Amino acid sequence: MIKVTAGDTGAIEEAADIIKSGGLVAFPTETVYGLGADGLNKKACQRIYEVKGRPNNKPLSLLVSDMAMIEELADISPLAERLINRFMPGPLTLILPSRKSDSTVGVRMPANDITLALIKAANVPIAAPSANISGQSPPTTAQEVFNAFNGKIPLILDGGACQFGVSSTIVNLTKEEPLILREGAISLKSLNLQ
């Protein structure tokens, strides 16, 4: 099922209800379409792995709607704060020390009104890798998501084609030196990590 969401708050509320009840929803971001679940619900997150065929050793990052959500999830260093202020909302994922465990957490604040509205309506961080079967190209349209998951997820929010069409850049800030784990929509030069 695909719902057109331009100005359709009903579709966003429906998607938020699915997320809150432990289900999966696909939605657009500025990079690629994401397959999302309640990031604080382990069973819901496990469904992402099952539906995508994603290896269990690949962690899920969390999409957030504002700085307060990041502060609840992670410890923020001065460098992290500088990158957040400069690139978020936007196509940057930061790996930070988790406040919820002895581990780390990846956080990203997407620059997409539909996604931000969904996160706010669900009122939880949303775990959301790309909405494709593992090993296939990340989708940039709702139709590509439908082709991959027809019948496997209850709702796809259609926000048109994604702005960038490539995944977010991932930077690990949990070590002494920042480490680029994946170059994506933001170039290494733009990050200016020196």
Side-chain angles (χ1 to χ4, degrees):
M1 175 194 294
I2 296 177
K3 292 268 182 164
V4 177
T5 59
D8 184 354
T9 54
I12 289 170
E13 289 298 329
E14 184 180 346
D17 288 343
I18 292 168
I19 295 283
K20 288 189 271 191
S21 68
L24 304 183
V25 172
F27 50 85
T29 73
E30 77 280 24
T31 56
V32 297
Y33 273 72
L35 179 64
D38 177 347
L40 305 180
N41 179 331
K42 285 185 180 174
K43 268 190 176 175
C45 290
Q46 189 55 43
R47 282 283 296 138
I48 292 175
Y49 287 97
E50 292 164 8
V51 170
K52 275 181 62 78
R54 183 180 175 93
N56 279 326
N57 62 347
K58 287 185 79 174
L60 300 171
S61 40
L62 299 175
L63 300 185
V64 299
S65 58
D66 54 38
M67 187 66 168
M69 259 190 190
I70 297 175
E71 289 169 344
E72 282 179 28
L73 295 167
D75 290 324
I76 302 168
S77 67
L79 175 57
E81 187 170 7
R82 179 168 65 83
L83 292 172
I84 290 165
N85 290 337
R86 185 156 173 228
F87 294 106
M88 291 188 189
L92 179 66
T93 301
L94 296 178
I95 310 298
L96 302 170
S98 173
R99 285 198 166 187
K100 306 274 186 190
S101 70
D102 292 333
S103 186
T104 62
V105 62
V107 294
R108 179 163 108 76
M109 191 187 310
N112 180 286
D113 291 341
I114 292 169
T115 309
L116 293 175
L118 173 60
I119 298 164
K120 286 175 185 166
N123 198 30
V124 292
I126 295 180
S130 55
N132 58 300
I133 302 298
S134 279
Q136 295 181 359
S137 297
T140 58
T141 67
Q143 187 61 52
E144 290 173 7
V145 178
F146 182 82
N147 294 344
F149 296 117
N150 185 9
K152 294 183 179 177
I153 58 175
L155 182 63
I156 301 166
L157 294 177
D158 187 350
C162 297
Q163 176 186 351
F164 290 102
V166 295
S167 299
S168 67
T169 298
I170 303 176
V171 182
N172 185 343
L173 296 180
T174 64
K175 310 289 183 197
E176 207 168 300
E177 293 293 321
L179 178 65
I180 309 292
L181 300 181
R182 178 179 72 200
E183 184 172 5
I186 296 175
S187 72
L188 303 187
K189 187 177 179 184
S190 299
L191 287 170
N192 191 21
L193 293 172
Q194 287 76 23

